[in-house]
Amino acid sequence: MKQLLKLFILLTAINLYSQEINFSVGSNFSDYSFYANENFNASGIGSYAEIGYTKVFGEKTSKSLSYTVSLNLNEYNASTGNTATYYEWQTNHVGLKNAINIPVVTIADIMKFELSAGVNLSHIVKGKQLINSMVYDISKNSEFDGLNVWTDFGLNLKFNLREDVKLAIGYSISENKQLTGSNDSLIFDDQAVDNVEISNDNIRLSLIYVLN
C-alpha cells in the first residue's frame, strides 16, 4: 500500500496546479464465480472510496481527452448458500487506477457526459471467508493474494456547481485477473475451488475541485 501511495503522490505532483482533484464514494455490487464449479456463484454489496487527479491532454476544451490516476479502496463482498450451508466473503482491496476519459456530449458548459476506459492494479489488504459459523483469513491465500489487474469501463455525468467545483455521478463495470500468486486451490466444504474471478458494478458520487 505504501508503494501505491508514493506512486500516486509522484504522479499527481506533475503539473498539480493545472487540473482537477476528485474525491469519490460509492458502492460495489460484486459477483464471485469459480472455474471449478460453474454453478457456484455468489454476490454482495461493498463500499468504495477514491481520490484522484485528472489532467487534460493538450488545450483544454469541451472535447479534450483527459487522463485520470487515482488511489482507491474497494470492498468486494459476496454471499451464497442454502438451508444446509452458508458461504460469505468479505475483502478489502487497495488499488491504483489509470483511465482515459472521452467526452461525448457537453450542454452549455454546465453538464458533460463522458466515457472512460482504464486499468486498476489492486492488492488485497484484508479478507475473510465464512462457512456457516467458521471464519477463515484469506488475505494470504493464493487465490486472493498477489497483484490483480481490473479492466474498467464506465460513464460519468458531470455538473458544474461553481467555476472551481463540479459534481459527478458515475457508473462502471470491471473484472479482475490475477497477475501474481499461485493457482493453488482454496478448500472449503470438501470442494476444491480455484481461479476465483470477480465481476463488479460500481455506482459513485464524486466531488471535483478545479485547480487551474
Side-chain angles (χ1 to χ4, degrees):
M1 182 174 181
K2 290 183 179 179
Q3 288 78 7
L4 291 175
L5 183 59
K6 289 179 181 179
L7 179 58
F8 175 76
I9 293 173
L10 177 63
L11 291 172
T12 55
I14 303 173
N15 294 326
L16 181 62
Y17 297 100
S18 63
Q19 305 303 328
E20 300 174 350
I21 293 290
N22 69 274
F23 303 90
S24 305
V25 293
S27 296
N28 290 320
F29 301 86
S30 305
D31 291 295
Y32 281 50
S33 60
F34 308 91
Y35 284 153
N37 189 341
E38 296 180 355
N39 296 320
F40 192 98
N41 296 291
S43 60
I45 302 175
S47 63
Y48 163 87
E50 180 183 67
I51 178 173
Y53 161 70
T54 299
K55 176 178 175 58
V56 175
F57 291 119
E59 184 179 354
K60 187 176 181 180
T61 69
S62 61
K63 298 182 179 180
S64 298
L65 301 180
S66 61
Y67 162 75
T68 297
V69 57
S70 59
L71 185 67
N72 52 76
L73 182 63
N74 289 277
E75 287 184 347
Y76 301 118
N77 301 329
S79 62
T80 189
N82 50 42
T83 56
T85 308
Y86 175 76
Y87 303 96
E88 183 176 338
W89 292 266
Q90 299 176 8
T91 64
N92 293 300
H93 294 246
V94 62
L96 184 70
K97 183 169 74 173
N98 294 269
I100 299 297
N101 310 302
I102 306 168
V104 178
V105 177
T106 301
I107 302 176
D109 292 328
I110 298 176
M111 184 172 63
K112 177 188 287 187
F113 178 80
E114 65 182 21
L115 302 177
S116 67
V119 174
N120 186 38
L121 296 176
S122 74
H123 186 276
I124 189 171
V125 292
K126 184 179 180 181
K128 65 179 180 180
Q129 174 183 276
L130 289 79
I131 305 174
N132 294 331
S133 59
M134 301 298 294
V135 180
Y136 303 90
D137 182 2
I138 58 173
S139 60
K140 300 300 181 181
N141 185 277
S142 60
E143 286 300 317
F144 292 88
D145 194 18
L147 187 63
N148 285 259
V149 60
W150 295 74
T151 56
D152 189 279
F153 300 96
L155 50 90
N156 299 287
L157 184 59
K158 295 182 176 180
F159 303 90
N160 292 336
L161 299 181
R162 298 187 325 194
E163 184 178 352
D164 58 347
V165 179
K166 301 178 183 180
L167 183 69
I169 301 172
Y171 169 78
S172 64
I173 57 175
S174 57
E175 292 186 354
N176 80 315
K177 297 290 183 182
Q178 191 178 38
L179 291 183
T180 62
S182 66
N183 287 321
D184 296 336
S185 296
L186 176 64
I187 306 298
F188 67 91
D189 194 29
D190 298 325
Q191 296 184 59
V193 175
D194 54 13
N195 294 325
V196 179
E197 285 199 353
I198 305 173
S199 59
N200 187 68
D201 291 70
N202 173 269
I203 298 175
R204 60 191 175 274
L205 183 66
S206 304
L207 187 61
I208 303 169
Y209 294 94
V210 181
L211 300 176
N212 59 328

